[in-house]
């Protein structure tokens, strides 16, 4: 069975009937205009960026943000797998999945009995994700939903692990998105986040404030994401800061 049909029972009852299958993903937002918080998100919804995203865009911008000695893309995938402690049969939600570059990797880890759901607001990113997942012959365990991270449309306790890489700083309401990510996790479920972090020096912080405001990208304080996870009941929280980015993981108590 195609994994997209295995997603329907996980959808909240009030949206289940609204979900339309469009280009291989379940669309919960429809044609209505959705407001983007800035020009970086506009690029994510363009037709051009998804075409070059995995090969050029993400590795290049990631390198700038993580610093010269920060982890490369293969290492990022390894960090995600470690923080999520995936095993065969797990259910995983990939929030802000883009073209499904991490979603497909998780799909390989959870095997045919597992299910990985990628969610994103961008139609162009999701169209690309569906094609790449079919080409990788992972459509039996990898599926996509178009929806907003702040309103994750799933029943509570639906997933064993939630990943949100390179996306939290783009959300209009990241703390609400963390609330929803927590709600859809099972007790003992794992979370892995890769996002921005502010520098320490005053000149750098001033530059960051201006650049952040212009781009629509948020820069989190150094302890902000860790504290947010603590407040939501996560334990064993780990944080690794590299350049202007951070990896944060934890387990829901
Ligand atoms: C930079 S990409 C990250 C893709 C992938 N996770 C990675 O690490 O390469 C960020 C994605 O977040 C999505 N996004 C932004 N705001 C969102 C929201 N409110 N809800 C869901 N996805 C959102 C964008 O459309 C984009 O595809």
């Amino acid at each position: 069975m195609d994994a997209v049909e295995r997603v329907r029972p996980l959808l909240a009852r009030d949206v289940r009937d609204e979900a339309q299958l469009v280009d291989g993903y379940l669309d919960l937002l429809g044609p209505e205009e959705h407001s983007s918080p800035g020009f970086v998100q506009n690029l994510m919804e363009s037709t051009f960026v998804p075409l070059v995203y995995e090969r050029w865009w993400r590795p290049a911008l990631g390198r700038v943000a993580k610093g010269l000695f920060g982890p490369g893309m293969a290492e990022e995938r390894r960090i995600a797998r470690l923080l999520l402690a995936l095993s065969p049969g797990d259910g995983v939600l990939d929030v802000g999945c883009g073209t499904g570059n991490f979603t497909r990797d998780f799909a390989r880890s959870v095997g045919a009995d597992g299910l990985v759901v990628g969610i994103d607001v961008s139609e162009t990113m999701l169209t690309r994700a569906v094609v790449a997942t079919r080409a990788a012959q992972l459509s039996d365990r990898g599926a996509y939903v178009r929806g907003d991270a702040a309103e994750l449309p799933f029943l509570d306790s639906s997933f064993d692990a939630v990943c949100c890489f390179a996306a939290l700083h783009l959300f209009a309401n990241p703390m609400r998105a963390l609330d929803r990510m927590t709600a859809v996790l099972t007790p003992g479920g794992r979370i892995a986040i890769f996002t921005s972090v502010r520098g320490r020096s005053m000149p750098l912080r001033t530059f960051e404030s201006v650049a952040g405001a212009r781009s629509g990208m948020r820069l989190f304080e150094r302890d902000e994401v860790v504290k947010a996870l603590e407040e939501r009941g996560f334990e064993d929280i780990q944080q690794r800061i590299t350049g202007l980015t951070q990896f944060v993981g934890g387990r829901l108590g």
Side-chain angles (χ1 to χ4, degrees):
M1 191 202 301
D2 207 75
V4 82
E5 288 312 319
R6 293 165 61 202
V7 178
R8 278 192 196 271
L10 300 180
L11 291 175
R13 285 185 186 83
D14 53 333
V15 298
R16 214 172 274 172
D17 293 337
E18 290 167 25
Q20 299 289 330
L21 195 59
V22 177
D23 291 339
Y25 60 83
L26 286 174
D27 192 346
L28 287 168
L29 298 180
E32 81 202 33
E33 198 61 29
H34 122 93
S35 75
S36 156
F39 84 77
V40 174
Q41 181 54 24
N42 293 344
L43 291 171
M44 298 296 145
E45 296 180 34
S46 68
T47 43
F48 173 68
V49 170
L51 294 179
V52 296
Y53 181 79
E54 285 189 34
R55 210 174 158 86
W56 306 110
W57 186 276
R58 175 68 161 80
L61 292 190
R63 171 59 54 225
V64 172
K66 288 176 286 189
L68 202 54
F69 301 107
M73 290 310 302
E75 177 66 2
E76 270 198 48
R77 285 192 289 275
R78 199 183 68 83
I79 293 170
R81 281 195 302 267
L82 279 178
L83 292 176
L84 296 175
L86 296 183
S87 32
D90 274 350
V92 185
L93 180 65
D94 187 9
V95 182
C97 63
T99 55
N101 42 340
F102 285 85
T103 323
R104 297 195 303 278
D105 197 56
F106 303 148
R108 291 188 188 94
S109 297
V110 301
D113 292 337
L115 176 64
V116 186
V117 182
I119 184 164
D120 205 290
V121 285
S122 166
E123 296 170 89
T124 50
M125 285 285 193
L126 288 172
T127 301
R128 189 106 188 136
V130 168
V131 170
T133 302
R134 280 184 187 150
Q137 301 192 326
L138 293 166
S139 311
D140 60 335
R141 63 197 81 165
Y144 297 92
V145 172
R146 182 163 173 256
D148 188 343
E151 304 299 334
L152 289 179
F154 304 101
L155 296 170
D156 285 359
S157 306
S158 291
F159 296 96
D160 302 294
V162 173
C163 182
C164 183
F165 265 34
L168 194 70
H169 47 273
L170 293 174
F171 299 164
N173 193 343
M175 293 301 146
R176 165 82 188 149
L178 286 180
D179 287 339
R180 291 298 302 138
M181 291 183 217
T182 308
V184 301
L185 265 180
T186 51
R190 288 86 57 196
I191 194 164
I193 294 170
F194 170 59
T195 188
S196 64
V197 74
R198 296 193 71 168
R200 280 189 211 278
S201 71
M202 267 324 276
L204 188 58
R205 289 173 72 85
T206 309
F207 167 77
E208 287 165 3
S209 300
V210 176
R214 295 243 163 106
S215 64
M217 283 199 297
R218 189 178 302 261
L219 287 150
F220 293 102
E221 295 299 335
R222 293 174 89 82
D223 59 354
E224 197 175 346
V225 175
V226 168
K227 275 194 178 151
L229 292 189
E230 281 168 357
E231 282 164 14
R232 286 163 179 77
F234 285 88
E235 297 171 353
D236 304 334
I237 297 174
Q238 305 169 56
Q239 181 189 41
R240 173 177 170 190
I241 293 181
T242 170
L244 292 174
T245 68
Q246 58 181 326
F247 294 88
V248 186
R251 186 176 52 78
L252 193 58

